[in-house]
Amino acid sequence: LFRLLFFALFVCSSVLTAQVRYNFVVAQKIASPEAQDELLPLLVKGDIAAIRHITAQSGGRFKFFAGDIASIVLPVKNIKLLIENPNIKRVEGNNSRLKLMDDSVRVNNNVNAVHAGLSPLPQGYDGSGVVMGIIDSGIDFLHPDFRDSVAGKSVTRIKYLWDQTISAGGTVPITYGYGQEWNNLQIDSGHASAHVDGTGHGTHVTGVGAGNGKGANVNKGVAPKVDLIVVEADFTNPTGFMISDAVDFIYSKALALGKPCVINASLGDYYGSHDGKNLEAQLIKILIKIKITIKIKIKIKIK
């Protein structure tokens, strides 16, 4: 009995599948008297010559095809000509609205749970009180995701910005002797003239790490409440040690702010020791240890 029932269901399902040659969106439009003169974008699977002919004869527009699937626009009242043609296998319309994605990062990495402070965490964590340093291709420092509203006024979350690639417009960092830097007050007053991230890479990376979602009212980054210190690295100079300079710059500024710091550098090279034993790698490792040691001493002193 079970086998007979399974077979009957299989046959019925196969028959129904064969008869359903269009999706629900198309069915809705066909059934709506008000939509008959509407031009509806469609994807049609079948004989391309037949699709071209029906489209041309029905006041539609044939856009393009790949394989046996064509993209066309057709008046709703003439869609039946496609459905009834034996050379047409499938007709689909679309009523979904596009939206910005990149929202699965927080879900897949349990970031939402961390933001909410779910057990076993004692509280929620969103980056408040922490500095995130970014060493990259620059940043769109006017982007809403990197700004906050304080007392009704829009202010930047970027506490310091150092552009290693230019020689005028700001202040030369004395320690390093090149590039130009600005603080948050100078950025907010419109005096920052750093390159605005020509490739978009640095802005994207910073958004994933620290965006607060205000640009599109969605898609917050991993740590939407951190303060930012951004360094636009010089990709054209093969002789300097720009990365270690940037690390020291960020740690020094974070120390002056009295906040713990994490640094992201989504850049590098395929040359080098690859074992962490070259001097720049050792220098950065020492800088990290110094930073941790200083923070511990500060905490002990406060207690």
Side-chain angles (χ1 to χ4, degrees), residues 135 162 164 178 231 233-247 280:
I135 308 171
W162 178 22
Q164 295 183 341
Y178 67 98
V231 177
D234 187 349
F235 289 82
T236 64
N237 186 352
T239 63
F241 291 101
M242 285 72 67
I243 301 301
S244 50
D245 285 353
V247 171
E280 187 169 30

Side-chain angles (χ1 to χ4, degrees), residues 201-280:
H201 187 273
T203 300
H204 170 76
V205 168
T206 309
V208 173
N212 60 19
K214 291 188 176 181
N217 297 315
V218 70
N219 305 131
K220 290 182 180 179
V222 174
K225 293 291 186 177
V226 294
D227 291 330
L228 291 165
I229 299 176
V230 179
V231 177
E232 178 171 349
D234 187 349
F235 289 82
T236 64
N237 186 352
T239 63
F241 291 101
M242 285 72 67
I243 301 301
S244 50
D245 285 353
V247 171
D248 183 68
F249 175 85
I250 292 170
Y251 276 155
S252 297
K253 297 298 186 182
L255 180 61
L257 293 171
K259 294 183 177 182
C261 176
V262 60
I263 297 177
N264 182 85
S266 297
L267 74 177
D269 200 342
Y270 290 107
Y271 295 98
S273 65
H274 293 276
D275 58 7
K277 294 182 179 180
N278 61 293
L279 292 185
E280 187 169 30

Side-chain angles (χ1 to χ4, degrees), residues 294-303:
I294 291 174
K295 288 303 298 180
I296 291 174
K297 287 182 178 178
I298 290 175
K299 289 181 179 179
I300 293 174
K301 186 175 181 181
I302 290 174
K303 288 181 179 180

Side-chain angles (χ1 to χ4, degrees), residues 20-77:
V20 177
R21 301 174 60 191
Y22 51 92
N23 67 354
F24 182 69
V25 175
V26 173
Q28 269 189 318
K29 293 294 184 180
I30 292 175
S32 172
E34 296 81 12
Q36 295 307 299
D37 292 323
E38 180 181 333
L39 290 173
L40 186 66
L42 299 167
L43 292 181
V44 185
K45 182 180 179 69
D47 182 80
I48 297 300
I51 298 171
R52 282 187 185 276
H53 177 74
I54 294 172
T55 303
Q57 296 297 315
S58 303
R61 183 170 76 254
F62 188 100
K63 294 195 289 185
F64 65 94
F65 77 97
D68 61 350
I69 301 176
S71 177
I72 70 170
V73 179
L74 202 68
V76 171
K77 61 186 177 185

Side-chain angles (χ1 to χ4, degrees), residues 48-260:
I48 297 300
I51 298 171
R52 282 187 185 276
H53 177 74
I54 294 172
T55 303
Q57 296 297 315
S58 303
R61 183 170 76 254
F62 188 100
K63 294 195 289 185
F64 65 94
F65 77 97
D68 61 350
I69 301 176
S71 177
I72 70 170
V73 179
L74 202 68
V76 171
K77 61 186 177 185
N78 293 328
I79 294 177
K80 287 184 178 180
L81 296 176
L82 286 171
I83 296 171
E84 294 169 355
N85 191 301
N87 294 311
I88 306 302
K89 297 178 181 179
R90 180 75 175 168
V91 181
E92 293 187 1
N94 180 35
N95 64 354
S96 62
R97 292 181 181 272
L98 296 177
K99 61 179 180 179
L100 298 174
M101 302 298 287
D102 197 27
D103 52 356
S104 61
V105 172
R106 298 196 314 274
V107 175
N108 294 337
N109 293 281
N110 296 317
V111 175
N112 287 339
V114 174
H115 286 178
L118 300 183
S119 180
L121 296 177
Q123 65 178 65
Y125 296 92
D126 55 13
S128 297
V130 176
V131 168
M132 181 179 290
I134 302 290
I135 308 171
D136 214 293
S137 62
I139 189 171
D140 178 359
F141 53 83
L142 298 179
H143 195 289
D145 266 30
F146 312 129
R147 302 187 68 83
D148 274 331
S149 180
V150 178
K153 183 179 180 181
S154 177
V155 297
T156 184
R157 295 168 56 206
I158 304 172
K159 298 304 180 182
Y160 294 95
L161 173 61
W162 178 22
D163 188 335
Q164 295 183 341
T165 70
I166 60 178
S167 57
T171 303
V172 179
I174 297 175
T175 302
Y176 315 102
Y178 67 98
Q180 300 286 296
E181 72 166 301
W182 301 266
N183 61 29
N184 59 313
L185 298 178
Q186 292 167 323
I187 293 172
D188 282 334
S189 63
H191 290 114
S193 56
H195 291 146
V196 187
D197 191 16
T199 67
H201 187 273
T203 300
H204 170 76
V205 168
T206 309
V208 173
N212 60 19
K214 291 188 176 181
N217 297 315
V218 70
N219 305 131
K220 290 182 180 179
V222 174
K225 293 291 186 177
V226 294
D227 291 330
L228 291 165
I229 299 176
V230 179
V231 177
E232 178 171 349
D234 187 349
F235 289 82
T236 64
N237 186 352
T239 63
F241 291 101
M242 285 72 67
I243 301 301
S244 50
D245 285 353
V247 171
D248 183 68
F249 175 85
I250 292 170
Y251 276 155
S252 297
K253 297 298 186 182
L255 180 61
L257 293 171
K259 294 183 177 182

